[in-house]
Amino acid sequence: MSGLFDIPPDNAAENAGKAAPRPLADLLRPQSVDDVVGQDHLLHDADAPLRRMIDAGRMSSIIFWGPPGCGKTTLARLLAQHTDLHFEAISAIFTGVADLRKVFESAQHRRRMGRGTLLFVDEIHRFNKSQQDAFLPHVEDGTIVLVGATTENPSFELNAALLSRCQVLVLKRLETQALETLLHRAEQQMNRPLPLMPEARAALVNMADGDGRYLLGLAEQVFQVQKKGALDVEALTKLVQKRAPLYDKADDSHYNLISALHKSVRGSDADAALYWFCRMLAGGEDPRYIARRMVRMAVEDIGLADPQAMQVTLGAWDTYERLGSPEGELALAQALVYLATAPKSNAAYVAYKAAKSAAAETGSLMPPAHILNAPTRLMKDIGYGRDYNYDHDTAEGFSGQNYFPDAMPRQRFYAPVERGFERELKKRIEYWDKLRRDKGGA
């Protein structure tokens, strides 16, 4: 069976010898796994999983997870060559159930003839649950070796049944050294150096943001336009555009960056927090979402170590609402620095969770009778309010009475830390504990 997207040969004779020029990225597509750059952990390091499969001559089904331009499609093609499997490629964007049925039928016929099929599915996360389920029997019985490619987190986008039959391999964004290797190959292909000043060359690599295909596209534009002389950074930026950062408010990168921001604040690293804050803004994140998460940081990670943290954050959020962007973002940045440099304590957060768990376990235990109000004679007769000690009548303003249910031992949920304002709270609790013991309490 031919590929699903082959161009029909309606004018083959007429167009013979008139093939369109191939893009530079396609011309430089690796012809061997040894030519693949930036994925040494899969191919060249000790115990590299893809190298083991290739050396053994046996392929298992794989999901490639990685950013655009890191080599997912190229690796799939090369794996088919190295294992002598027929290569079939489809895209989940353009493929329906009928197309899948044809692919599986062809693979079954090919298997009866003694040859296996490596089915490459680009954007596999675009298939819905029923479409993903259609792969299961054919992967299970070996009719196809599935190689799926996705830029999304497979844990969220792929069925558990399909994931259990595949090995997930993570491809990395290309680092500077790998991108430089691609530029050298482009220069060899074009038989001349890239007409860029050293600073502009470094800027070009930075513009690609780890995407090898995008880098070669930028280099191709420079080769086509600049015939003489070398461009500086200013001239380069007028000629080509920086790649948009990988950020989608609905995908995995959104959660990765907010996690990085939150953990930077928790780790008291104001510089890293500001970096991730600006990365999110550059990606188009709503500052209100960041402000809401910052309030969560204030109550979850700082708590009573600095009671002002929540008010500072709410004030910054309110300032943003009044000023809007971009001026209001400075207020959020100031609050972020305050949070990152504040003393940290999750003692109140831990205490809340422990108390919540205890409340669920103890069910409907009644409060002790002495702390219940007795507005009627009957309630007084049965002991409501009896022997209650009014704390303000004591010398210390503290009675030390028991306020837990009679059938429940006294619990300690809140344990303040020796940081910030909680250091003072710890002293108060220790003082009350001593008074409670002196008065014969628990």
Side-chain angles (χ1 to χ4, degrees), residues 288 315-332 334:
R288 295 175 182 84
W317 189 351
D318 185 54
T319 300
Y320 174 81
E321 295 291 356
R322 293 171 183 269
L323 290 180
S325 293
E327 294 85 355
E329 290 161 4
L330 176 58
L332 296 179
Q334 288 180 341

Side-chain angles (χ1 to χ4, degrees), residues 80-405:
Q81 295 175 14
H82 282 278
T83 53
D84 195 33
L85 294 171
H86 174 81
F87 182 78
E88 191 79 47
I90 61 174
S91 170
I93 298 175
F94 303 110
T95 305
V97 174
D99 297 316
L100 284 177
R101 188 177 298 114
K102 292 177 183 178
V103 170
F104 296 145
E105 289 172 354
S106 296
Q108 289 168 342
H109 173 72
R110 206 174 289 117
R111 188 185 184 197
R112 288 193 292 269
M113 301 298 291
R115 191 177 187 197
T117 299
L118 188 151
L119 176 60
F120 175 67
V121 183
D122 198 18
E123 304 285 346
I124 191 170
H125 62 277
R126 304 273 187 175
F127 278 138
N128 60 35
K129 183 180 185 302
S130 61
Q131 289 170 316
Q132 292 181 30
D133 286 342
F135 288 91
L136 298 179
H138 307 291
V139 171
E140 189 76 31
D141 66 12
T143 299
I144 62 170
V145 173
L146 174 64
V147 178
T150 177
T151 57
E152 306 294 329
N153 190 330
S155 301
F156 302 140
E157 303 297 337
L158 299 184
N159 293 351
L162 186 59
L163 276 179
S164 69
R165 292 163 173 80
C166 300
Q167 183 176 357
V168 176
L169 299 180
V170 180
L171 278 73
K172 300 178 180 179
R173 71 187 294 278
L174 301 188
E175 301 296 338
T176 299
Q177 184 177 355
L179 294 173
E180 274 290 352
T181 300
L182 294 182
L183 286 184
H184 285 304
R185 292 179 184 176
E187 291 171 326
Q188 292 174 350
Q189 177 70 34
M190 300 300 292
N191 200 29
R192 62 189 177 99
L194 196 62
L196 293 173
M197 300 289 287
E199 298 82 1
R201 187 185 184 95
L204 187 76
V205 171
N206 183 59
M207 288 177 176
D209 194 24
D211 187 329
R213 183 171 52 244
Y214 193 80
L215 175 73
L216 293 175
L218 296 177
E220 188 168 19
Q221 292 182 57
V222 174
F223 276 125
Q224 290 173 348
V225 174
Q226 190 70 5
K227 303 299 183 183
K228 295 182 180 179
L231 297 173
D232 59 14
V233 174
E234 183 179 357
L236 175 67
T237 54
K238 291 180 180 178
L239 177 63
V240 297
Q241 293 295 316
K242 178 178 173 67
R243 178 183 180 276
L246 281 179
Y247 190 81
D248 186 331
K249 288 180 281 185
D251 75 2
D252 197 48
S253 60
H254 163 82
Y255 299 104
N256 287 342
L257 265 61
I258 192 60
S259 176
L261 175 65
H262 195 145
K263 290 180 174 63
S264 297
V265 169
R266 182 180 294 156
S268 300
D269 192 331
D271 298 311
L274 284 171
Y275 171 76
W276 295 117
F277 173 73
C278 293
R279 277 280 303 274
M280 295 184 77
L281 292 179
E285 184 58 77
D286 185 351
R288 295 175 182 84
Y289 169 76
I290 302 177
R292 184 175 68 82
R293 287 297 296 250
M294 286 168 57
V295 173
R296 175 182 165 184
M297 298 171 200
V299 298
E300 180 178 326
D301 294 293
I302 296 168
L304 291 173
D306 185 347
Q308 293 300 313
M310 182 166 56
Q311 295 304 319
V312 167
T313 310
L314 289 171
W317 189 351
D318 185 54
T319 300
Y320 174 81
E321 295 291 356
R322 293 171 183 269
L323 290 180
S325 293
E327 294 85 355
E329 290 161 4
L330 176 58
L332 296 179
Q334 288 180 341
L336 189 67
V337 172
Y338 187 98
L339 296 180
T341 55
K344 305 298 188 298
S345 172
N346 70 340
Y349 178 52
V350 171
Y352 163 71
K353 292 196 296 182
K356 184 177 180 181
S357 176
E361 292 173 1
T362 54
S364 303
L365 290 179
M366 283 287 291
H370 65 270
I371 65 171
L372 298 179
N373 290 331
T376 69
R377 177 175 293 277
L378 173 62
M379 297 169 79
K380 289 181 180 179
D381 290 343
I382 62 176
Y384 279 28
R386 186 181 302 156
D387 298 326
Y388 172 63
N389 293 329
Y390 187 57
D391 291 79
H392 296 292
D393 288 341
T394 66
E396 304 87 356
F398 178 83
S399 67
Q401 284 194 298
N402 177 51
Y403 301 103
F404 278 93

